[in-house]
Amino acid sequence: MLPVNWRKRSDGLAQTDVPLAPRTSWRIGGTADLFVAPRSPAELAAVLADLWRTGQPWRILGGGSNLLIGDRGVRDVVLQLGELQAISVDGARLRAEAGADLQSVVRAATNAGLTGAEPLAGIPGNVGGAVFGNAGGRYGAIGPLVCELELVCPDGTRQTFVPGQEFFEYRKSAIGERIVVAATLQLSPAPTVDVHDRAKSIFSERAASQPGWIGNAGCVFKNPAGDSAGRLIDSSGGKDMHHGGIVVSPTHANFFENPNLDGTSDDVCHLVDKVRTTVRRHHGVDLEWEVRRWGL
Ligand code: EPU
Protein backbone atom coordinates (compact mmCIF):
# COMPACT_ATOMS: atom_id res chain seq x y z
CA MET A 1 0.00 0.00 0.00
CA LEU A 2 1.38 3.41 -0.89
CA PRO A 3 1.76 5.87 1.99
CA VAL A 4 -1.40 7.97 1.50
CA ASN A 5 -0.08 10.88 3.58
CA TRP A 6 2.65 11.53 0.97
CA ARG A 7 0.33 11.34 -2.01
CA LYS A 8 -1.74 14.12 -0.46
CA ARG A 9 1.19 16.43 0.19
CA SER A 10 1.37 19.44 -2.06
CA ASP A 11 4.89 20.62 -1.10
CA GLY A 12 6.64 18.78 -3.95
CA LEU A 13 8.09 15.98 -1.82
CA ALA A 14 6.17 13.28 -3.72
CA GLN A 15 4.74 13.00 -7.24
CA THR A 16 2.72 10.22 -8.84
CA ASP A 17 3.12 8.57 -12.28
CA VAL A 18 6.47 10.16 -13.04
CA PRO A 19 8.15 9.20 -16.38
CA LEU A 20 11.57 7.74 -15.60
CA ALA A 21 13.06 7.59 -19.12
CA PRO A 22 14.09 11.30 -19.07
CA ARG A 23 15.90 10.62 -15.78
CA THR A 24 18.16 7.98 -17.36
CA SER A 25 20.99 8.54 -19.84
CA TRP A 26 19.60 5.73 -22.05
CA ARG A 27 16.24 7.54 -22.15
CA ILE A 28 14.48 4.19 -21.64
CA GLY A 29 11.89 3.07 -19.09
CA GLY A 30 8.29 3.43 -17.96
CA THR A 31 6.88 5.44 -15.07
CA ALA A 32 7.26 5.39 -11.28
CA ASP A 33 3.95 5.07 -9.43
CA LEU A 34 5.36 7.25 -6.66
CA PHE A 35 8.48 9.41 -6.95
CA VAL A 36 9.88 11.01 -3.79
CA ALA A 37 12.66 13.63 -3.71
CA PRO A 38 13.74 14.34 -0.11
CA ARG A 39 15.32 17.79 0.29
CA SER A 40 17.56 17.08 3.26
CA PRO A 41 19.23 14.12 4.95
CA ALA A 42 16.71 14.49 7.80
CA GLU A 43 13.77 14.35 5.38
CA LEU A 44 15.29 11.26 3.72
CA ALA A 45 15.63 9.59 7.13
CA ALA A 46 11.98 10.40 7.93
CA VAL A 47 10.77 9.06 4.57
CA LEU A 48 12.74 5.82 5.01
CA ALA A 49 11.42 5.37 8.55
CA ASP A 50 7.88 5.75 7.17
CA LEU A 51 8.53 3.23 4.37
CA TRP A 52 10.06 0.84 6.89
CA ARG A 53 6.98 1.07 9.14
CA THR A 54 4.55 0.48 6.25
CA GLY A 55 6.70 -2.25 4.66
CA GLN A 56 6.76 -0.40 1.34
CA PRO A 57 9.62 -1.40 -1.00
CA TRP A 58 11.70 1.39 -2.54
CA ARG A 59 14.60 2.00 -4.91
CA ILE A 60 17.11 4.80 -5.07
CA LEU A 61 17.76 6.55 -8.39
CA GLY A 62 21.16 8.21 -8.80
CA GLY A 63 22.13 10.06 -11.97
CA GLY A 64 20.51 7.31 -14.08
CA SER A 65 23.71 6.86 -16.10
CA ASN A 66 24.29 3.18 -15.30
CA LEU A 67 20.70 1.92 -15.22
CA LEU A 68 18.20 0.13 -17.47
CA ILE A 69 14.57 0.60 -16.47
CA GLY A 70 11.90 -1.71 -17.90
CA ASP A 71 9.34 -0.23 -20.29
CA ARG A 72 6.56 -1.16 -17.86
CA GLY A 73 8.06 1.02 -15.16
CA VAL A 74 8.46 0.53 -11.43
CA ARG A 75 5.83 -0.15 -8.77
CA ASP A 76 8.22 0.37 -5.82
CA VAL A 77 8.60 3.90 -4.47
CA VAL A 78 11.45 5.63 -6.35
CA LEU A 79 13.64 7.98 -4.27
CA GLN A 80 16.04 10.50 -5.76
CA LEU A 81 18.40 12.90 -3.95
CA GLY A 82 18.75 15.48 -6.73
CA GLU A 83 18.28 18.30 -4.20
CA LEU A 84 21.33 17.28 -2.15
CA GLN A 85 24.17 18.77 -4.20
CA ALA A 86 26.36 20.67 -1.72
CA ILE A 87 30.14 20.42 -2.08
CA SER A 88 32.55 21.85 0.50
CA VAL A 89 36.30 21.77 0.98
CA ASP A 90 38.11 21.66 4.30
CA GLY A 91 41.89 21.46 3.96
CA ALA A 92 42.58 18.49 1.66
CA ARG A 93 39.16 16.93 2.29
CA LEU A 94 36.25 17.43 -0.07
CA ARG A 95 32.73 16.58 1.11
CA ALA A 96 30.07 16.08 -1.57
CA GLU A 97 26.40 15.28 -1.11
CA ALA A 98 24.92 12.32 -2.95
CA GLY A 99 23.14 14.34 -5.65
CA ALA A 100 26.24 16.33 -6.63
CA ASP A 101 27.39 15.79 -10.20
CA LEU A 102 30.81 14.09 -10.51
CA GLN A 103 32.09 16.80 -12.85
CA SER A 104 31.25 19.44 -10.22
CA VAL A 105 33.36 17.43 -7.77
CA VAL A 106 36.29 17.35 -10.21
CA ARG A 107 35.93 21.12 -10.79
CA ALA A 108 35.71 21.93 -7.07
CA ALA A 109 38.83 19.85 -6.35
CA THR A 110 40.71 21.51 -9.20
CA ASN A 111 39.74 25.02 -8.09
CA ALA A 112 40.84 24.22 -4.54
CA GLY A 113 44.24 22.98 -5.77
CA LEU A 114 43.58 19.38 -4.74
CA THR A 115 44.67 16.32 -6.71
CA GLY A 116 43.14 12.82 -6.64
CA ALA A 117 39.71 13.27 -8.22
CA GLU A 118 40.95 13.66 -11.83
CA PRO A 119 40.20 9.99 -12.75
CA LEU A 120 36.51 10.91 -12.41
CA ALA A 121 36.78 13.50 -15.22
CA GLY A 122 34.26 12.66 -17.94
CA ILE A 123 32.36 10.01 -15.97
CA PRO A 124 28.64 10.81 -16.01
CA GLY A 125 26.51 10.43 -12.89
CA ASN A 126 26.37 11.70 -9.34
CA VAL A 127 28.26 11.01 -6.14
CA GLY A 128 25.72 8.60 -4.60
CA GLY A 129 25.66 6.28 -7.61
CA ALA A 130 29.40 6.58 -8.18
CA VAL A 131 30.19 5.57 -4.59
CA PHE A 132 27.61 2.75 -4.64
CA GLY A 133 29.09 1.27 -7.84
CA ASN A 134 32.72 2.37 -7.21
CA ALA A 135 32.77 4.20 -10.54
CA GLY A 136 36.11 4.71 -12.21
CA GLY A 137 38.31 4.03 -15.18
CA ARG A 138 41.87 3.30 -16.19
CA TYR A 139 43.36 5.91 -13.83
CA GLY A 140 41.47 4.96 -10.70
CA ALA A 141 38.06 4.73 -9.04
CA ILE A 142 36.23 6.80 -6.43
CA GLY A 143 36.31 4.14 -3.68
CA PRO A 144 39.95 4.50 -2.57
CA LEU A 145 39.44 8.28 -2.20
CA VAL A 146 36.52 7.95 0.24
CA CYS A 147 37.64 8.65 3.83
CA GLU A 148 34.20 9.12 5.36
CA LEU A 149 30.72 7.97 4.36
CA GLU A 150 27.37 9.28 5.56
CA LEU A 151 24.56 6.79 4.99
CA VAL A 152 20.93 6.29 5.96
CA CYS A 153 19.82 2.75 6.82
CA PRO A 154 16.52 1.28 5.59
CA ASP A 155 14.89 1.92 9.00
CA GLY A 156 15.81 5.61 8.83
CA THR A 157 18.77 5.58 11.20
CA ARG A 158 21.89 7.48 10.12
CA GLN A 159 25.49 6.21 10.07
CA THR A 160 28.82 7.96 9.59
CA PHE A 161 31.97 5.85 9.34
CA VAL A 162 35.36 5.36 7.72
CA PRO A 163 35.13 2.61 5.09
CA GLY A 164 37.92 0.01 5.36
CA GLN A 165 40.03 -1.15 2.41
CA GLU A 166 37.73 -4.10 1.72
CA PHE A 167 34.62 -1.86 1.45
CA PHE A 168 35.17 -1.24 -2.28
CA GLU A 169 35.86 -3.73 -5.06
CA TYR A 170 35.85 -3.40 -8.86
CA ARG A 171 32.55 -1.60 -9.68
CA LYS A 172 31.11 -2.67 -6.34
CA SER A 173 30.74 -1.46 -2.73
CA ALA A 174 29.42 -2.91 0.52
CA ILE A 175 26.69 -0.24 0.81
CA GLY A 176 23.94 -2.79 0.19
CA GLU A 177 20.47 -1.55 1.19
CA ARG A 178 21.74 1.70 2.72
CA ILE A 179 21.57 5.06 0.95
CA VAL A 180 24.56 7.38 0.49
CA VAL A 181 23.86 10.90 1.78
CA ALA A 182 27.37 12.28 1.39
CA ALA A 183 30.96 11.15 0.90
CA THR A 184 34.18 12.86 1.97
CA LEU A 185 37.18 12.39 -0.32
CA GLN A 186 40.75 12.56 0.92
CA LEU A 187 42.74 14.49 -1.69
CA SER A 188 46.23 16.05 -1.70
CA PRO A 189 47.41 19.62 -2.34
CA ALA A 190 48.86 20.26 -5.81
CA PRO A 191 49.25 23.24 -8.17
CA THR A 192 45.84 24.02 -9.70
CA VAL A 193 47.31 24.22 -13.19
CA ASP A 194 48.69 20.65 -12.94
CA VAL A 195 45.40 19.27 -11.60
CA HIS A 196 43.50 21.07 -14.35
CA ASP A 197 45.81 19.70 -17.09
CA ARG A 198 45.52 16.13 -15.82
CA ALA A 199 41.71 16.30 -15.51
CA LYS A 200 41.49 17.80 -19.02
CA SER A 201 43.71 15.10 -20.49
CA ILE A 202 41.69 12.27 -18.86
CA PHE A 203 38.45 13.93 -20.01
CA SER A 204 39.73 14.25 -23.61
CA GLU A 205 41.00 10.66 -23.71
CA ARG A 206 37.58 9.40 -22.61
CA ALA A 207 35.74 11.66 -25.06
CA ALA A 208 37.87 10.38 -27.95
CA SER A 209 37.27 6.67 -27.24
CA GLN A 210 33.65 6.65 -26.01
CA PRO A 211 30.30 8.00 -27.24
CA GLY A 212 28.71 11.04 -25.50
CA TRP A 213 26.56 10.89 -22.37
CA ILE A 214 23.05 10.74 -23.82
CA GLY A 215 21.60 7.62 -25.44
CA ASN A 216 23.82 5.05 -23.69
CA ALA A 217 24.55 3.84 -20.17
CA GLY A 218 28.34 3.64 -20.15
CA CYS A 219 29.86 0.18 -20.31
CA VAL A 220 27.13 -2.45 -20.46
CA PHE A 221 29.34 -5.30 -19.19
CA LYS A 222 32.01 -5.53 -16.50
CA ASN A 223 35.47 -6.28 -17.78
CA PRO A 224 36.45 -9.91 -17.20
CA ALA A 225 39.67 -10.26 -15.18
CA GLY A 226 42.65 -9.14 -17.26
CA ASP A 227 40.67 -8.26 -20.40
CA SER A 228 38.29 -5.70 -21.84
CA ALA A 229 34.66 -6.54 -22.66
CA GLY A 230 34.81 -3.93 -25.45
CA ARG A 231 37.79 -5.66 -27.07
CA LEU A 232 36.12 -9.09 -26.78
CA ILE A 233 32.88 -7.84 -28.37
CA ASP A 234 34.72 -5.98 -31.13
CA SER A 235 36.95 -8.94 -32.02
CA SER A 236 33.87 -11.20 -32.17
CA GLY A 237 32.34 -9.00 -34.88
CA GLY A 238 29.92 -7.45 -32.39
CA LYS A 239 30.19 -3.91 -33.74
CA ASP A 240 27.77 -4.84 -36.56
CA MET A 241 25.06 -5.97 -34.13
CA HIS A 242 21.79 -4.21 -33.37
CA HIS A 243 18.26 -4.99 -32.24
CA GLY A 244 15.24 -2.72 -32.68
CA GLY A 245 16.35 0.80 -31.82
CA ILE A 246 19.57 -0.24 -30.04
CA VAL A 247 22.99 -0.62 -31.72
CA VAL A 248 26.43 -1.67 -30.51
CA SER A 249 28.38 1.59 -30.53
CA PRO A 250 30.74 2.00 -33.49
CA THR A 251 32.97 4.04 -31.14
CA HIS A 252 33.30 1.52 -28.28
CA ALA A 253 31.75 -1.94 -28.45
CA ASN A 254 30.91 -2.11 -24.71
CA PHE A 255 28.50 0.84 -25.13
CA PHE A 256 25.05 0.17 -26.60
CA GLU A 257 23.54 3.28 -28.17
CA ASN A 258 19.94 4.40 -28.52
CA PRO A 259 20.66 6.81 -31.40
CA ASN A 260 17.09 7.91 -32.14
CA LEU A 261 16.02 7.63 -28.48
CA ASP A 262 13.26 5.20 -29.53
CA GLY A 263 14.81 1.92 -28.31
CA THR A 264 13.10 -0.14 -25.59
CA SER A 265 14.31 -2.14 -22.62
CA ASP A 266 13.40 -5.31 -24.53
CA ASP A 267 15.63 -4.16 -27.42
CA VAL A 268 18.55 -3.75 -25.01
CA CYS A 269 17.97 -7.16 -23.40
CA HIS A 270 17.77 -8.89 -26.80
CA LEU A 271 20.99 -7.24 -27.95
CA VAL A 272 22.71 -8.15 -24.68
CA ASP A 273 21.74 -11.82 -25.23
CA LYS A 274 22.99 -11.77 -28.83
CA VAL A 275 26.31 -10.17 -27.90
CA ARG A 276 26.89 -12.48 -24.93
CA THR A 277 26.22 -15.54 -27.10
CA THR A 278 28.65 -14.31 -29.75
CA VAL A 279 31.42 -13.55 -27.24
CA ARG A 280 30.91 -16.92 -25.55
CA ARG A 281 31.22 -18.68 -28.94
CA HIS A 282 34.34 -16.76 -29.99
CA HIS A 283 36.20 -16.43 -26.71
CA GLY A 284 34.57 -18.83 -24.23
CA VAL A 285 33.94 -15.86 -21.86
CA ASP A 286 30.64 -15.14 -20.09
CA LEU A 287 30.14 -11.38 -19.91
CA GLU A 288 28.46 -10.05 -16.78
CA TRP A 289 26.11 -7.02 -16.70
CA GLU A 290 27.62 -3.86 -15.23
CA VAL A 291 24.46 -1.81 -15.75
CA ARG A 292 21.87 -2.07 -12.96
CA ARG A 293 18.38 -3.18 -14.02
CA TRP A 294 14.93 -2.33 -12.65
CA GLY A 295 11.58 -3.81 -13.52
CA LEU A 296 12.88 -6.38 -16.00
N1 EPU B 1 38.81 -1.96 -27.55
C1 EPU B 1 38.53 -2.46 -28.80
N2 EPU B 1 37.30 -2.21 -29.33
C2 EPU B 1 36.37 -1.47 -28.70
C3 EPU B 1 36.64 -0.97 -27.43
C4 EPU B 1 37.89 -1.22 -26.86
O1 EPU B 1 39.33 -3.14 -29.40
O2 EPU B 1 35.27 -1.28 -29.26
C5 EPU B 1 40.15 -2.20 -26.99
C6 EPU B 1 40.93 -0.89 -26.92
O3 EPU B 1 41.57 -0.61 -28.12
C7 EPU B 1 41.89 -1.16 -25.78
C8 EPU B 1 41.12 -2.10 -24.88
O4 EPU B 1 40.04 -2.64 -25.66
O5 EPU B 1 43.02 -1.84 -26.26
C9 EPU B 1 40.57 -1.39 -23.63
O6 EPU B 1 39.68 -0.35 -24.05
P1 EPU B 1 39.45 0.96 -23.17
O7 EPU B 1 40.74 1.63 -22.91
O8 EPU B 1 38.37 1.74 -23.81
O9 EPU B 1 39.00 0.41 -21.76
P2 EPU B 1 37.83 -0.56 -21.35
O10 EPU B 1 38.45 -1.67 -20.58
O11 EPU B 1 36.99 -0.95 -22.52
C10 EPU B 1 37.39 0.62 -19.07
C11 EPU B 1 36.16 0.88 -18.25
C12 EPU B 1 35.50 2.17 -18.66
C13 EPU B 1 36.49 3.32 -18.58
C14 EPU B 1 37.68 2.98 -19.50
C15 EPU B 1 38.75 4.05 -19.55
C16 EPU B 1 34.94 -1.13 -17.55
C17 EPU B 1 33.88 -2.10 -17.90
N3 EPU B 1 35.19 -0.19 -18.47
O12 EPU B 1 36.95 0.36 -20.41
O13 EPU B 1 34.45 2.40 -17.73
O14 EPU B 1 35.90 4.52 -18.98
O15 EPU B 1 38.28 1.75 -19.03
O16 EPU B 1 39.30 4.28 -18.33
O17 EPU B 1 35.53 -1.22 -16.48
C18 EPU B 1 32.13 2.04 -17.28
O18 EPU B 1 32.49 1.34 -16.32
O19 EPU B 1 30.92 2.28 -17.53
C19 EPU B 1 33.15 2.55 -18.18
C20 EPU B 1 32.82 3.15 -19.31
Side-chain angles (χ1 to χ4, degrees), residues 240-282:
D240 291 333
M241 296 181 118
H242 55 91
H243 190 95
I246 305 295
V247 301
V248 172
S249 169
T251 313
H252 191 300
N254 200 10
F255 287 64
F256 290 8
E257 297 193 53
N258 182 13
N260 302 316
L261 304 184
D262 59 356
T264 66
S265 62
D266 284 347
D267 292 343
V268 174
C269 291
H270 272 99
L271 189 56
V272 161
D273 285 346
K274 278 204 238 181
V275 167
R276 290 180 82 181
T277 304
T278 302
V279 169
R280 198 177 299 123
R281 205 171 50 236
H282 279 80

